[in-house]
Amino acid sequence: MPSAVSAARSSAPEPPAPRLAPGRLRGAIVGGAGCVALCWGAQARPSARLDAFFAGGAHLTGLLAGYGVLVMLLLMARVPAVEHGVGADRLARWHAVGGRYVLGLVAAHALLALCGYAAHTGTDLVTAGRGLLGYPWLAAACAGTLLFAAVGFSSAPFVRRRIRHETWRGLHLLSHLAAALGFVHQLAGPDLASSPLLVWLWSMAHATVAVLLVWYRIVVPVRRALRHELRVAEVRSESPDVVSVLVRGRGVAELRAEPGQFFRWRFLRPGLWSTALPFSLSAPVRDDTLRITVKALGDHTRRIRRLRPGTRVLATGPFGALTAHRRTRRKVLLVAGGVGITPLRALFETLPGGPGDLTLLYRASDPSGLVLREELEAIARERRAALHYLLGRSGDPFDPLAPRALRDLVPDLAAHDVYLCGPPGMARAATESLIRAGVPAHRIHSEDFSHAR
């Protein structure tokens, strides 16, 4: 083990992958929305008529909804610079919040258009609705709206908990059809149809996002599968409910996977091939081999124990931003909970630092919950890093992650960068304690891999 640690630290690093900072992406999204609003404002004609007021609002909300759909699709396109810079969990949260805004804009657009048409024709809302459905491009828009509503409903927490992941993903694929129907409707609308330049710009924006989706979600994974020929090399038992899977292929270094990142793994065997499972690397890449460490928490993870050497593997990635590039301080604290140790174990081995610069706190309910313990202790010995096991159940009177307990273990805690990975409840509690103990929130780096999509 010590020789492997030395080899990992002494090997020549790969060139850094391009990354788009979260602030820049957020600014670009807001700026794009402002440009859409300006395009609407440049064409708006002030009027005191009620139908014109409703129509103006319908046009603005419709354009913003169309732009919002593009943004939602872009966030999920798995563009490496975006994934590596922003992080998969943050992108998923932005997508979830943005989706609610888009659905609200779509609903507002439909209601304002209906009210505007009713006011223009002097009819009631029911009659106006029937009249609007007579236009083919409006019928397409209604179909797209219903599909978006179905996708949004399936993402509601009380619904998602009750449906299979494959069903949820299948429903989400309908959002692409809904976006296409909305695009047809938008091109027929007066805000775009009146300007050939706007039609061209709007079409190019949609074409760009479509190309990114096809390229990074279909072409790149297929090309990499053919290029690297990944197969299971070994399944190693770490504990009664935890296994490590070694996956070997050709030219794996070309993937430029960094410690702390994860892949979406599809094992081509019955019961597993239909689902891409997100698992982070539990060791640095070496000898064309990737390693993940998996705890049996459900049907799919239990089947991983029964994988056989030679099983073909499709892996898309790497994804995630829980990497060394987030580091801003010389001293680093790693806080892990349960199987959340996997990305931090890779960082513990590879983050640059001298004696005393690295500290790992590993939270588990009892010693049997400590995963990869021998490897962690070997790394700590060779690197002269601090390693502390925080044992005890969550309901125990003493909380080892309380602010005072953290300061006792790490006296200069506020001078550290913190990398955090664990179950959602533990991660939230640890984040609150770290902030109360004096660590600035921007120096707490975490990523919830359950958001992977």
Side-chain angles (χ1 to χ4, degrees):
M1 179 66 194
S3 60
V5 176
S6 301
R9 293 207 310 272
S10 62
S11 58
E14 289 289 324
R19 293 181 173 89
L20 181 63
R24 291 190 176 183
L25 179 59
R26 190 186 300 113
I29 292 171
V30 173
C35 290
V36 170
L38 284 175
C39 289
W40 168 83
Q43 300 181 79
R45 297 293 180 265
S47 175
R49 292 169 47 191
L50 184 61
D51 61 341
F53 172 77
F54 282 130
H59 295 161
L60 176 60
T61 53
L63 287 172
L64 288 175
Y67 171 75
V69 169
L70 273 184
V71 171
M72 295 302 98
L73 294 176
L74 176 63
L75 293 181
M76 297 294 102
R78 299 179 182 171
V79 179
V82 176
E83 290 270 352
H84 297 169
V86 180
D89 66 331
R90 183 179 292 167
L91 286 172
R93 289 196 300 270
W94 287 5
H95 180 81
V97 173
R100 289 192 283 271
Y101 279 111
V102 169
L103 286 174
L105 287 167
V106 169
H109 169 70
L111 181 59
L112 289 168
L114 180 61
C115 291
Y117 190 73
H120 180 71
T121 58
T123 58
D124 60 84
L125 294 180
V126 175
T127 304
R130 290 173 181 166
L132 285 173
L133 289 176
Y135 295 94
W137 47 273
L138 277 176
C142 289
T145 299
L146 291 176
L147 290 175
F148 277 129
V151 171
F153 181 74
S154 70
S155 296
F158 72 93
V159 176
R160 188 171 179 183
R161 286 193 296 266
R162 289 168 172 78
I163 61 176
R164 298 175 67 243
H165 181 73
E166 291 80 2
T167 303
W168 177 81
R169 284 185 60 84
L171 286 171
H172 260 63
L173 290 177
L174 295 176
S175 62
H176 300 87
L177 175 58
L181 292 171
F183 175 64
V184 173
H185 167 63
Q186 292 152 22
L187 288 184
D191 294 288
L192 296 179
S194 60
S195 171
L197 176 60
L198 286 180
V199 169
W200 183 83
L201 289 173
W202 202 252
S203 299
M204 287 300 99
H206 280 74
T208 300
V209 172
V211 168
L212 290 174
L213 281 166
V214 171
W215 182 257
Y216 286 112
R217 296 194 72 123
I218 299 176
V219 176
V220 169
V222 171
R223 187 178 65 175
R224 285 182 172 176
L226 297 174
R227 165 70 181 88
H228 299 294
E229 293 187 353
L230 297 176
R231 294 183 183 274
V232 173
E234 182 184 353
V235 179
R236 182 184 303 158
S237 179
E238 304 288 357
S239 74
D241 59 349
V242 177
V243 295
S244 287
V245 181
L246 278 69
V247 176
R248 189 168 293 126
R250 299 183 307 173
V252 171
E254 297 172 10
L255 296 173
R256 300 168 72 181
E258 301 176 53
Q261 291 188 314
F262 71 96
F263 286 77
R264 294 176 178 87
W265 306 86
R266 196 181 296 270
F267 299 97
L268 302 187
R269 56 144 288 174
L272 286 174
W273 68 268
S274 62
T275 302
L277 303 168
F279 297 120
S280 55
L281 298 176
S282 61
V285 179
R286 58 172 69 93
D287 299 327
D288 278 339
T289 300
L290 304 165
R291 191 185 79 173
I292 58 174
T293 301
V294 181
K295 183 174 183 178
L297 297 172
D299 292 340
H300 289 94
T301 48
R302 279 192 288 270
R303 293 188 184 111
I304 288 177
R305 177 180 292 276
R306 298 194 291 272
L307 286 172
R308 294 289 180 265
T311 301
R312 191 69 182 265
V313 182
L314 301 182
T316 56
F319 303 111
L322 193 69
T323 59
H325 87 277
R326 285 192 173 184
R327 183 179 185 176
T328 63
R329 293 291 187 275
R330 180 175 63 86
K331 292 193 172 184
V332 175
L333 171 65
L334 308 171
V335 182
V339 78
I341 188 62
T342 52
L344 300 191
R345 178 254 177 259
L347 288 169
F348 193 43
E349 179 176 338
T350 58
L351 281 175
D357 288 343
L358 299 179
T359 301
L360 172 61
L361 306 182
Y362 190 179
R363 181 82 169 92
S365 57
D366 55 62
S368 66
L370 299 173
V371 182
L372 307 175
R373 182 172 182 170
E374 292 184 4
E375 295 184 14
L376 295 172
E377 292 172 355
I379 294 170
R381 283 195 301 272
E382 179 170 340
R383 305 201 64 184
R384 287 187 281 176
L387 171 62
H388 301 282
Y389 300 129
L390 311 181
L391 303 179
R393 301 193 177 277
S394 57
D396 290 350
F398 174 71
D399 179 9
L401 292 177
R404 182 171 180 178
L406 290 173
R407 285 193 296 264
D408 288 342
L409 286 171
V410 189
D412 55 347
L413 178 61
H416 285 65
D417 266 312
V418 180
Y419 287 76
L420 170 64
C421 189
M426 171 264 177
R428 286 193 297 270
T431 300
E432 293 174 3
S433 290
L434 288 164
I435 292 173
R436 289 167 53 197
V439 180
H442 68 272
R443 283 203 264 115
I444 302 174
H445 316 301
S446 63
E447 199 159 44
D448 180 1
F449 300 99
S450 67
H451 288 289
R453 67 265 173 232

